[in-house]
Amino acid sequence: LSGTNTGILLVLAHPAFERARANAAMLDAARTLDGVAIDDLYELYPDFAIDVRREQELLATHGLIVLQFPLYWYSAPALLKEWLDLVWLHGFAYGETAGALRGKTLLCAVSTGAQAQSYDRSGLHRYTIAEFLRPFEQTARLCDMRWAEPFVLHGAALLDDAALRGEALRYAARLRDLSSSCQDGSR
Ligand SMILES: Cc1cc2nc3c(=O)[nH]c(=O)nc-3n(C[C@H](O)[C@H](O)[C@H](O)COP(=O)(O)O)c2cc1C
C-alpha cells in the first residue's frame, strides 16, 4: 500500500451513536472540513467482522488519523480495540519491513461524562486523561507516528447545546490546525 500524508481519516467508535450528543456535535463539526473521510466502525461492523484490507487502505491513504470515541471505563469502546488488534498488524503498522503509518499523526478525540477537575491526582478518577491514553500514545510511537495532544470534551452531559456547539467548533479548529501542519510536514 502506498502511503499518503494528506487528508483526515476520522475513525468513529460509538456503540450508541443514535443517542450521542457530544460525539454527534463533534462529528457534525468535523464534516464541515474539506477532505475528511468518516470511518464509522459500529455502523460498518456491528458484528465486529472488520474488513481488514479496507481499513488498512484507509489508514495508508490519509495523513491525520483521528480516533474519536466516548471514554468507556477509562478506555475506548470495545470495537476500537478490536480494530487495532486486527488492522494494525505486524508487517503493516510496525516491524522491520512495515511503515504504512510512518510519519502520520494520531489524534485521540475523546468525550467524557466526568468533569475535567476529576481527572487529577486529588480527583475522583485520580489520573489524567493523558495517562489513561498511554496505550494509544505508545502504539503511535511504536508505529513511528506523531502523537498529537489529545482533544478532550469533558462533562458531556453537563453541557447545554450552546456550550456543546462551542466545544464542537474548538474540535473543528484543532482538526484544521493539525491537518495543515501534517501537510507541510511541520509540527
Ligand atoms: C459503558 C460506559 C462507560 C463509561 N465510562 C466512563 C468513564 O470511564 N469516564 C467518564 O468520564 N465517563 C464515562 N462514561 C460516560 C461517557 O463517556 C459519556 O456519556 C460520553 O462521553 C458522552 O458522549 P455522547 O453524548 O457522544 O454519548 C461511560 C459511559 C458508558 C455508557
Side-chain angles (χ1 to χ4, degrees), residues 27-45:
L27 193 70
D28 281 349
R31 279 189 202 285
T32 66
L33 305 180
D34 290 334
V36 185
I38 312 287
D39 190 23
D40 183 345
L41 298 184
Y42 278 93
E43 171 78 19
L44 285 162
Y45 310 119

Side-chain angles (χ1 to χ4, degrees), residues 14 20-23 70-74 111-114 119 156:
H14 197 306
R21 274 180 80 236
N23 283 271
L71 198 69
Y72 275 16
W73 285 113
Y74 308 113
S111 65
T112 75
Y119 282 97

Side-chain angles (χ1 to χ4, degrees), residues 67-101:
L67 308 182
Q68 184 188 316
F69 54 90
L71 198 69
Y72 275 16
W73 285 113
Y74 308 113
S75 186
L79 184 53
L80 190 69
K81 181 58 164 58
E82 179 77 348
W83 177 83
L84 281 165
D85 295 353
L86 296 183
V87 178
W88 291 45
L89 294 177
H90 182 262
F92 169 78
Y94 69 98
E96 294 278 292
T97 59
L101 304 178

Side-chain angles (χ1 to χ4, degrees), residues 41-129:
L41 298 184
Y42 278 93
E43 171 78 19
L44 285 162
Y45 310 119
D47 303 324
F48 280 50
I50 293 170
D51 181 342
V52 174
R53 286 294 310 228
R54 174 188 188 274
E55 296 301 317
Q56 289 184 340
E57 187 75 46
L58 281 173
L59 284 166
T61 52
H62 292 85
L64 172 58
I65 312 300
V66 182
L67 308 182
Q68 184 188 316
F69 54 90
L71 198 69
Y72 275 16
W73 285 113
Y74 308 113
S75 186
L79 184 53
L80 190 69
K81 181 58 164 58
E82 179 77 348
W83 177 83
L84 281 165
D85 295 353
L86 296 183
V87 178
W88 291 45
L89 294 177
H90 182 262
F92 169 78
Y94 69 98
E96 294 278 292
T97 59
L101 304 178
R102 186 170 300 137
K104 298 177 187 291
T105 300
L106 189 70
L107 172 72
C108 283
V110 178
S111 65
T112 75
Q115 283 177 293
Q117 58 270 27
S118 64
Y119 282 97
D120 180 81
R121 284 288 164 278
S122 56
L124 178 65
H125 302 298
R126 297 186 55 229
Y127 302 97
T128 65
I129 296 290

